[in-house]
Amino acid sequence: MVEKIDHLGIAVKSLEESIAFYENVLGIKCQGMEEVVSQKVRTAFFHVGDTHIELLEPTSDDSPIAKFMSKNGEGIHHVAYYTNDIKSQLEQAQKAGAKLIHKTPIDGAGGKKVAFLHPKSTHGVLTEFCSDEK
Ligand code: ZN
């Protein structure tokens, strides 16, 4: 079951420059940075209440984030829904007609398991499920 929006993923060219915006303009503090090797990105996290902002900077030209920015520029990249059972969430999404990018969860930032639905099957929004399951 989807429990809440866990985070919004935002593609940026430079973590350092973007962190300055969130800290100085919005007044929210960066909680840390992490490289996610499987996604070829560096991330920075901010807490906004119970939800997070996840900034994503590509670490290579063939990173999914680099490809996204070459088409769309910087901006909102994905919406992540928190679930306590990512596998059954994926099964349900597939049964209901969504196209899965990941049939099984992969390692995401913060030690979470994550899996994405293809935006062509979600009305244009790259949709992530994330979970604290091991
Ligand atoms: Zn995410």
Side-chain angles (χ1 to χ4, degrees), residues 16-89:
E16 280 69 22
E17 286 173 23
S18 309
I19 287 169
F21 166 82
Y22 286 88
E23 291 194 332
N24 299 332
V25 178
L26 298 185
I28 55 178
K29 190 128 189 50
C30 179
Q31 302 292 321
M33 291 195 251
E34 181 183 344
E35 184 166 343
V36 183
V37 176
S38 68
Q39 293 292 294
K40 298 181 181 169
V41 293
R42 287 201 311 143
T43 69
F45 272 88
F46 299 81
H47 297 322
V48 184
D50 209 17
T51 302
H52 313 288
I53 297 292
E54 177 187 75
L55 303 181
L56 303 156
E57 176 198 82
T59 55
S60 95
D61 288 344
D62 63 346
S63 160
I65 297 301
K67 287 180 196 156
F68 174 86
M69 280 199 293
S70 72
K71 278 192 227 155
N72 306 290
E74 293 183 304
I76 291 188
H77 176 259
H78 65 269
V79 176
Y81 296 91
Y82 187 86
T83 172
N84 55 11
D85 187 347
I86 197 165
K87 278 183 192 140
S88 67
Q89 204 72 52

Coordinates of all heavy atoms in Angstrom, one line a residue, residues 16-89:
E16 N 26.1 21.6 -5.6 CA 26.6 22.7 -4.7 C 25.7 23.9 -5.0 O 25.3 24.6 -4.1 CB 28.1 22.9 -4.9 CG 29.0 22.0 -4.2 CD 29.0 20.5 -4.8 OE1 28.6 20.3 -6.0 OE2 29.3 19.6 -4.0
E17 N 25.6 24.3 -6.3 CA 24.8 25.5 -6.6 C 23.3 25.3 -6.2 O 22.7 26.3 -5.7 CB 24.8 25.8 -8.1 CG 26.2 26.3 -8.5 CD 26.3 26.5 -10.0 OE1 25.3 26.6 -10.7 OE2 27.5 26.5 -10.5
S18 N 22.8 24.1 -6.3 CA 21.4 23.9 -6.0 C 21.2 23.9 -4.5 O 20.2 24.4 -4.0 CB 20.9 22.6 -6.6 OG 21.2 22.5 -8.0
I19 N 22.1 23.3 -3.8 CA 22.0 23.3 -2.3 C 21.9 24.7 -1.8 O 21.2 25.0 -0.9 CB 23.2 22.5 -1.7 CG1 23.0 21.0 -2.0 CG2 23.3 22.8 -0.2 CD1 24.2 20.1 -1.6
A20 N 22.8 25.6 -2.4 CA 22.8 27.0 -1.9 C 21.4 27.6 -2.1 O 20.9 28.3 -1.3 CB 23.8 27.8 -2.7
F21 N 20.7 27.3 -3.2 CA 19.3 27.8 -3.4 C 18.4 27.3 -2.3 O 17.7 28.1 -1.7 CB 18.8 27.4 -4.8 CG 17.3 27.6 -4.9 CD1 16.8 28.8 -5.2 CD2 16.4 26.5 -4.7 CE1 15.4 29.0 -5.3 CE2 15.0 26.7 -4.8 CZ 14.5 28.0 -5.1
Y22 N 18.4 26.0 -2.1 CA 17.4 25.5 -1.1 C 17.7 26.0 0.3 O 16.8 26.3 1.1 CB 17.4 23.9 -1.1 CG 16.7 23.4 -2.3 CD1 17.4 23.2 -3.5 CD2 15.3 23.2 -2.3 CE1 16.7 22.8 -4.7 CE2 14.6 22.8 -3.4 CZ 15.3 22.6 -4.6 OH 14.6 22.2 -5.7
E23 N 19.0 26.1 0.6 CA 19.4 26.6 2.0 C 19.2 28.1 2.1 O 18.6 28.6 3.1 CB 20.9 26.3 2.3 CG 21.0 24.8 2.5 CD 22.4 24.3 3.1 OE1 23.4 25.1 2.9 OE2 22.4 23.3 3.7
N24 N 19.5 28.9 1.1 CA 19.5 30.4 1.2 C 18.1 30.9 0.9 O 17.7 31.9 1.5 CB 20.6 31.0 0.4 CG 22.0 30.6 0.8 OD1 22.2 30.2 1.9 ND2 22.9 30.5 -0.2
V25 N 17.5 30.4 -0.1 CA 16.2 30.9 -0.6 C 15.0 30.3 0.2 O 14.1 31.0 0.7 CB 16.0 30.8 -2.1 CG1 14.6 31.3 -2.5 CG2 17.1 31.5 -2.8
L26 N 15.0 29.0 0.4 CA 13.9 28.4 1.1 C 14.2 28.2 2.6 O 13.3 27.9 3.4 CB 13.6 27.0 0.5 CG 13.2 27.0 -1.0 CD1 12.8 25.6 -1.4 CD2 12.0 27.9 -1.2
G27 N 15.5 28.3 3.0 CA 15.8 28.2 4.4 C 15.7 26.8 4.9 O 15.5 26.6 6.1
I28 N 15.9 25.8 4.1 CA 15.9 24.4 4.6 C 17.3 23.8 4.4 O 18.0 24.2 3.5 CB 14.8 23.5 3.8 CG1 15.1 23.5 2.3 CG2 13.4 23.9 4.2 CD1 14.1 22.6 1.5
K29 N 17.7 23.0 5.4 CA 19.1 22.6 5.5 C 19.3 21.2 4.8 O 18.6 20.3 5.0 CB 19.4 22.5 7.0 CG 20.9 22.3 7.3 CD 21.4 23.3 8.3 CE 22.9 23.3 8.4 NZ 23.6 23.3 7.1
C30 N 20.4 21.2 4.1 CA 20.8 19.9 3.5 C 21.2 18.9 4.5 O 22.0 19.2 5.4 CB 22.0 20.2 2.5 SG 22.6 18.6 1.7
Q31 N 20.6 17.7 4.4 CA 20.8 16.7 5.5 C 22.0 15.7 5.1 O 22.3 14.9 5.9 CB 19.6 15.8 5.7 CG 18.4 16.6 6.1 CD 18.5 17.2 7.4 OE1 19.0 16.6 8.4 NE2 18.0 18.5 7.6
G32 N 22.5 15.9 3.9 CA 23.7 15.0 3.6 C 23.7 14.8 2.1 O 22.7 15.0 1.4
M33 N 24.8 14.2 1.6 CA 25.0 13.9 0.2 C 25.4 12.4 0.1 O 26.0 11.9 1.1 CB 26.0 14.8 -0.4 CG 25.6 16.2 -0.6 SD 26.7 17.1 -1.7 CE 27.6 18.1 -0.6
E34 N 25.1 11.8 -1.0 CA 25.4 10.4 -1.2 C 25.5 10.1 -2.7 O 24.8 10.6 -3.5 CB 24.3 9.6 -0.6 CG 24.5 8.1 -0.7 CD 23.3 7.3 -0.1 OE1 22.5 7.8 0.6 OE2 23.3 6.1 -0.4
E35 N 26.5 9.3 -3.0 CA 26.6 8.8 -4.4 C 25.8 7.5 -4.5 O 26.0 6.6 -3.7 CB 28.0 8.7 -4.9 CG 28.1 8.3 -6.3 CD 29.5 8.4 -6.9 OE1 30.4 9.1 -6.3 OE2 29.8 7.8 -8.0
V36 N 24.9 7.4 -5.6 CA 24.2 6.2 -5.8 C 24.8 5.6 -7.1 O 24.4 6.0 -8.2 CB 22.7 6.4 -5.9 CG1 22.0 5.1 -6.1 CG2 22.2 7.1 -4.7
V37 N 25.7 4.6 -6.9 CA 26.4 4.1 -8.1 C 25.5 3.5 -9.1 O 25.7 3.7 -10.3 CB 27.5 3.1 -7.6 CG1 28.2 2.4 -8.7 CG2 28.5 3.8 -6.6
S38 N 24.5 2.7 -8.6 CA 23.6 2.0 -9.6 C 22.8 3.0 -10.5 O 22.5 2.7 -11.6 CB 22.5 1.2 -8.8 OG 21.6 2.0 -8.1
Q39 N 22.6 4.3 -10.1 CA 21.9 5.2 -10.9 C 22.8 6.3 -11.5 O 22.4 7.2 -12.1 CB 20.8 5.9 -10.0 CG 19.7 5.0 -9.6 CD 18.9 4.6 -10.8 OE1 18.2 5.4 -11.4 NE2 18.9 3.3 -11.2
K40 N 24.2 6.2 -11.2 CA 25.1 7.2 -11.7 C 24.8 8.6 -11.4 O 24.7 9.5 -12.2 CB 25.3 7.0 -13.2 CG 25.9 5.6 -13.6 CD 26.1 5.5 -15.0 CE 26.7 4.1 -15.3 NZ 26.7 3.7 -16.7
V41 N 24.5 8.8 -10.1 CA 24.1 10.1 -9.6 C 24.7 10.4 -8.2 O 25.0 9.4 -7.5 CB 22.6 10.3 -9.4 CG1 21.9 10.3 -10.8 CG2 22.0 9.3 -8.5
R42 N 24.9 11.7 -7.9 CA 25.1 12.1 -6.6 C 23.8 12.8 -6.1 O 23.2 13.5 -6.9 CB 26.2 13.2 -6.5 CG 27.6 12.6 -6.7 CD 28.7 13.5 -6.2 NE 28.6 14.9 -6.6 CZ 28.8 15.9 -5.8 NH1 29.2 15.8 -4.6 NH2 28.7 17.1 -6.3
T43 N 23.5 12.5 -4.9 CA 22.2 13.1 -4.4 C 22.5 13.9 -3.2 O 23.4 13.8 -2.5 CB 21.2 11.9 -4.0 OG1 21.7 11.3 -2.8 CG2 21.0 10.9 -5.1
A44 N 21.5 14.9 -2.9 CA 21.5 15.6 -1.7 C 20.1 15.6 -1.2 O 19.1 15.7 -2.0 CB 22.0 17.0 -1.9
F45 N 19.9 15.5 0.1 CA 18.6 15.3 0.7 C 18.2 16.5 1.6 O 19.1 17.0 2.4 CB 18.5 14.1 1.5 CG 18.1 12.9 0.8 CD1 19.0 12.1 0.1 CD2 16.7 12.5 0.7 CE1 18.6 11.0 -0.6 CE2 16.3 11.4 0.0 CZ 17.3 10.6 -0.7
F46 N 17.0 16.9 1.6 CA 16.4 17.9 2.5 C 15.1 17.4 3.1 O 14.4 16.7 2.3 CB 16.0 19.2 1.7 CG 17.2 19.9 1.1 CD1 17.7 19.4 -0.2 CD2 17.9 20.9 1.6 CE1 18.8 20.0 -0.8 CE2 18.9 21.5 1.0 CZ 19.4 21.1 -0.2
H47 N 14.9 17.6 4.3 CA 13.6 17.2 4.9 C 12.7 18.4 4.8 O 13.0 19.5 5.2 CB 13.8 16.9 6.4 CG 14.6 15.7 6.6 ND1 14.7 14.6 5.8 CD2 15.6 15.4 7.6 CE1 15.5 13.7 6.3 NE2 16.1 14.2 7.4
V48 N 11.5 18.1 4.4 CA 10.4 19.1 4.4 C 9.2 18.5 5.1 O 8.5 17.7 4.4 CB 10.0 19.6 3.0 CG1 9.0 20.8 3.1 CG2 11.2 20.1 2.3
G49 N 9.1 18.6 6.4 CA 8.1 17.9 7.1 C 8.4 16.4 7.0 O 9.6 16.0 7.2
D50 N 7.4 15.6 6.6 CA 7.6 14.2 6.5 C 8.1 13.7 5.1 O 8.3 12.6 4.8 CB 6.2 13.5 6.8 CG 6.4 12.1 7.4 OD1 7.5 11.8 7.9 OD2 5.4 11.4 7.3
T51 N 8.3 14.7 4.2 CA 8.7 14.4 2.8 C 10.1 15.0 2.6 O 10.5 15.8 3.4 CB 7.6 15.1 1.9 OG1 6.3 14.6 2.2 CG2 7.9 14.9 0.4
H52 N 10.7 14.5 1.6 CA 12.1 14.9 1.3 C 12.2 15.5 -0.1 O 11.4 15.2 -1.0 CB 13.1 13.7 1.4 CG 12.9 12.9 2.6 ND1 13.3 13.3 3.8 CD2 12.4 11.7 2.7 CE1 13.0 12.4 4.7 NE2 12.4 11.4 4.1
I53 N 13.1 16.3 -0.3 CA 13.6 16.8 -1.6 C 14.9 16.0 -1.9 O 15.8 16.0 -1.0 CB 13.8 18.3 -1.7 CG1 12.5 19.0 -1.4 CG2 14.4 18.7 -3.0 CD1 11.4 18.9 -2.4
E54 N 14.9 15.4 -3.0 CA 16.1 14.7 -3.4 C 16.7 15.3 -4.7 O 16.2 15.2 -5.8 CB 15.7 13.2 -3.7 CG 16.9 12.3 -4.2 CD 16.3 10.9 -4.6 OE1 15.7 10.8 -5.7 OE2 16.5 10.0 -3.9
L55 N 17.8 16.0 -4.5 CA 18.5 16.6 -5.7 C 19.4 15.6 -6.3 O 20.0 14.8 -5.6 CB 19.3 17.8 -5.3 CG 18.6 18.9 -4.6 CD1 19.6 20.1 -4.2 CD2 17.4 19.5 -5.4
L56 N 19.4 15.5 -7.7 CA 20.1 14.5 -8.4 C 21.0 15.1 -9.4 O 20.6 15.8 -10.3 CB 19.1 13.6 -9.2 CG 18.0 12.9 -8.3 CD1 16.8 12.6 -9.1 CD2 18.6 11.7 -7.7
E57 N 22.3 14.9 -9.2 CA 23.3 15.4 -10.2 C 24.0 14.2 -10.9 O 24.5 13.3 -10.2 CB 24.4 16.2 -9.4 CG 25.5 16.7 -10.2 CD 26.7 17.1 -9.4 OE1 27.5 16.2 -9.0 OE2 26.9 18.3 -9.1
P58 N 24.0 14.2 -12.2 CA 24.6 13.0 -12.9 C 26.1 12.9 -12.6 O 26.8 14.0 -12.5 CB 24.3 13.3 -14.4 CG 24.1 14.8 -14.5 CD 23.5 15.2 -13.1
T59 N 26.6 11.7 -12.5 CA 28.1 11.5 -12.4 C 28.7 11.1 -13.7 O 29.9 11.0 -13.8 CB 28.4 10.5 -11.3 OG1 27.7 9.3 -11.6 CG2 28.0 10.9 -9.9
S60 N 27.9 10.8 -14.7 CA 28.5 10.5 -16.0 C 27.4 10.8 -17.1 O 26.2 11.0 -16.8 CB 28.9 9.0 -16.1 OG 27.9 8.3 -16.7
D61 N 27.9 10.9 -18.4 CA 27.1 11.3 -19.5 C 26.0 10.3 -19.8 O 25.0 10.6 -20.4 CB 27.9 11.6 -20.7 CG 28.7 12.9 -20.6 OD1 28.4 13.7 -19.7 OD2 29.6 13.1 -21.4
D62 N 26.2 9.0 -19.4 CA 25.2 8.0 -19.7 C 24.3 7.8 -18.5 O 23.6 6.8 -18.4 CB 25.8 6.7 -20.2 CG 26.7 6.1 -19.2 OD1 27.1 6.7 -18.2 OD2 27.0 4.9 -19.4
S63 N 24.4 8.7 -17.5 CA 23.5 8.6 -16.3 C 22.0 8.9 -16.8 O 21.8 9.7 -17.7 CB 23.9 9.6 -15.3 OG 22.8 9.9 -14.4
P64 N 21.0 8.2 -16.3 CA 19.6 8.5 -16.6 C 19.3 10.0 -16.4 O 18.5 10.6 -17.1 CB 18.8 7.6 -15.6 CG 19.7 6.5 -15.2 CD 21.1 7.1 -15.3
I65 N 20.0 10.6 -15.4 CA 19.7 12.0 -15.1 C 20.3 12.9 -16.2 O 19.7 13.9 -16.6 CB 20.3 12.4 -13.7 CG1 19.5 11.6 -12.6 CG2 20.1 13.9 -13.4 CD1 18.0 11.8 -12.5
A66 N 21.5 12.5 -16.7 CA 22.1 13.3 -17.8 C 21.2 13.2 -19.0 O 20.9 14.2 -19.7 CB 23.5 12.8 -18.1
K67 N 20.6 12.0 -19.3 CA 19.7 11.9 -20.4 C 18.5 12.7 -20.3 O 18.0 13.4 -21.2 CB 19.4 10.4 -20.6 CG 20.6 9.6 -21.2 CD 20.2 8.2 -21.4 CE 21.4 7.3 -21.6 NZ 21.2 5.9 -21.2
F68 N 17.9 12.7 -19.1 CA 16.7 13.5 -18.8 C 17.0 15.0 -19.0 O 16.2 15.6 -19.7 CB 16.3 13.2 -17.3 CG 15.2 14.1 -16.9 CD1 13.8 13.7 -17.1 CD2 15.4 15.3 -16.2 CE1 12.8 14.6 -16.7 CE2 14.4 16.1 -15.8 CZ 13.1 15.8 -16.0
M69 N 18.1 15.5 -18.5 CA 18.4 16.9 -18.6 C 18.7 17.3 -20.0 O 18.5 18.4 -20.4 CB 19.5 17.3 -17.7 CG 19.0 17.5 -16.2 SD 20.1 18.4 -15.2 CE 21.5 17.4 -15.1
S70 N 19.3 16.4 -20.9 CA 19.5 16.8 -22.2 C 18.2 17.0 -23.0 O 18.2 17.8 -23.9 CB 20.4 15.7 -22.9 OG 19.7 14.5 -23.2
K71 N 17.1 16.4 -22.6 CA 15.8 16.6 -23.2 C 15.0 17.7 -22.5 O 14.4 18.5 -23.2 CB 15.0 15.3 -23.1 CG 15.3 14.3 -24.1 CD 14.2 13.2 -24.1 CE 14.8 11.8 -24.2 NZ 14.0 10.8 -23.6
N72 N 15.1 17.7 -21.2 CA 14.2 18.6 -20.4 C 14.8 19.7 -19.6 O 14.1 20.6 -19.1 CB 13.4 17.7 -19.4 CG 12.7 16.5 -20.1 OD1 11.7 16.7 -20.8 ND2 13.2 15.3 -19.8
G73 N 16.1 19.7 -19.5 CA 16.8 20.7 -18.7 C 16.6 20.3 -17.2 O 16.1 19.2 -16.9
E74 N 17.0 21.2 -16.3 CA 16.8 20.9 -14.9 C 15.3 20.9 -14.5 O 14.5 21.6 -15.2 CB 17.5 22.0 -14.0 CG 19.0 22.0 -14.2 CD 19.7 23.0 -13.3 OE1 19.3 24.2 -13.4 OE2 20.5 22.7 -12.4
G75 N 15.0 20.2 -13.5 CA 13.6 20.3 -13.0 C 13.1 19.0 -12.4 O 13.9 18.1 -12.1
I76 N 11.8 18.9 -12.1 CA 11.3 17.7 -11.4 C 11.5 16.5 -12.3 O 11.1 16.5 -13.4 CB 9.8 17.9 -11.0 CG1 9.7 19.0 -9.9 CG2 9.2 16.6 -10.5 CD1 8.3 19.2 -9.3
H77 N 12.1 15.5 -11.7 CA 12.4 14.3 -12.4 C 11.5 13.1 -12.1 O 11.1 12.4 -13.0 CB 13.9 13.9 -12.1 CG 14.3 12.6 -12.7 ND1 14.4 11.4 -12.0 CD2 14.7 12.3 -14.0 CE1 14.9 10.5 -12.8 NE2 15.0 11.0 -14.0
H78 N 11.2 13.0 -10.8 CA 10.3 11.9 -10.4 C 9.6 12.2 -9.1 O 10.0 13.0 -8.3 CB 11.0 10.5 -10.4 CG 12.1 10.4 -9.3 ND1 13.4 10.8 -9.5 CD2 12.0 10.0 -8.0 CE1 14.1 10.5 -8.4 NE2 13.2 10.1 -7.4
V79 N 8.5 11.4 -8.9 CA 7.7 11.4 -7.6 C 7.9 10.1 -7.0 O 7.7 9.1 -7.7 CB 6.2 11.8 -7.9 CG1 5.5 11.7 -6.6 CG2 6.1 13.2 -8.5
A80 N 8.3 10.0 -5.8 CA 8.5 8.7 -5.1 C 7.5 8.5 -4.0 O 7.3 9.3 -3.1 CB 9.9 8.7 -4.5
Y81 N 6.8 7.3 -4.1 CA 5.8 6.9 -3.1 C 6.4 5.9 -2.2 O 7.0 4.9 -2.7 CB 4.6 6.3 -3.9 CG 3.9 7.4 -4.7 CD1 4.3 7.5 -6.1 CD2 2.9 8.2 -4.2 CE1 3.6 8.4 -6.9 CE2 2.2 9.1 -5.0 CZ 2.6 9.2 -6.4 OH 2.0 10.2 -7.2
Y82 N 6.1 6.1 -0.9 CA 6.6 5.1 0.1 C 5.6 4.0 0.2 O 4.4 4.2 0.3 CB 6.8 5.8 1.4 CG 7.5 4.9 2.4 CD1 8.9 4.8 2.5 CD2 6.7 4.1 3.2 CE1 9.5 3.9 3.3 CE2 7.3 3.2 4.1 CZ 8.7 3.1 4.2 OH 9.3 2.2 5.0
T83 N 6.2 2.8 0.2 CA 5.3 1.6 0.4 C 6.0 0.6 1.3 O 7.2 0.6 1.4 CB 5.0 0.9 -1.0 OG1 4.4 -0.4 -0.7 CG2 6.3 0.6 -1.7
N84 N 5.2 -0.1 2.1 CA 5.8 -1.1 3.0 C 6.0 -2.5 2.3 O 6.5 -3.4 2.9 CB 5.0 -1.3 4.3 CG 3.5 -1.6 4.0 OD1 3.2 -2.0 2.8 ND2 2.7 -1.5 5.0
D85 N 5.6 -2.6 1.0 CA 5.7 -3.9 0.3 C 6.0 -3.6 -1.2 O 5.0 -3.6 -2.0 CB 4.5 -4.7 0.5 CG 4.7 -6.1 0.0 OD1 5.7 -6.4 -0.8 OD2 3.9 -7.0 0.3
I86 N 7.2 -3.3 -1.5 CA 7.5 -2.8 -2.8 C 7.2 -3.9 -3.9 O 6.8 -3.6 -5.0 CB 9.0 -2.3 -2.9 CG1 9.2 -1.4 -4.1 CG2 10.0 -3.5 -2.8 CD1 10.5 -0.6 -4.0
K87 N 7.4 -5.2 -3.6 CA 7.2 -6.2 -4.6 C 5.7 -6.4 -4.9 O 5.4 -6.4 -6.1 CB 7.7 -7.6 -4.1 CG 9.2 -7.7 -4.3 CD 9.8 -9.0 -3.9 CE 11.3 -8.9 -3.9 NZ 11.9 -9.6 -2.7
S88 N 4.8 -6.3 -3.9 CA 3.4 -6.5 -4.3 C 2.9 -5.2 -4.9 O 2.0 -5.2 -5.8 CB 2.6 -6.8 -3.1 OG 2.6 -5.8 -2.1
Q89 N 3.5 -4.0 -4.6 CA 3.2 -2.8 -5.3 C 3.5 -2.9 -6.8 O 2.8 -2.4 -7.6 CB 4.0 -1.6 -4.6 CG 3.4 -0.3 -4.8 CD 2.1 -0.1 -3.9 OE1 2.1 -0.4 -2.7 NE2 1.0 0.3 -4.5

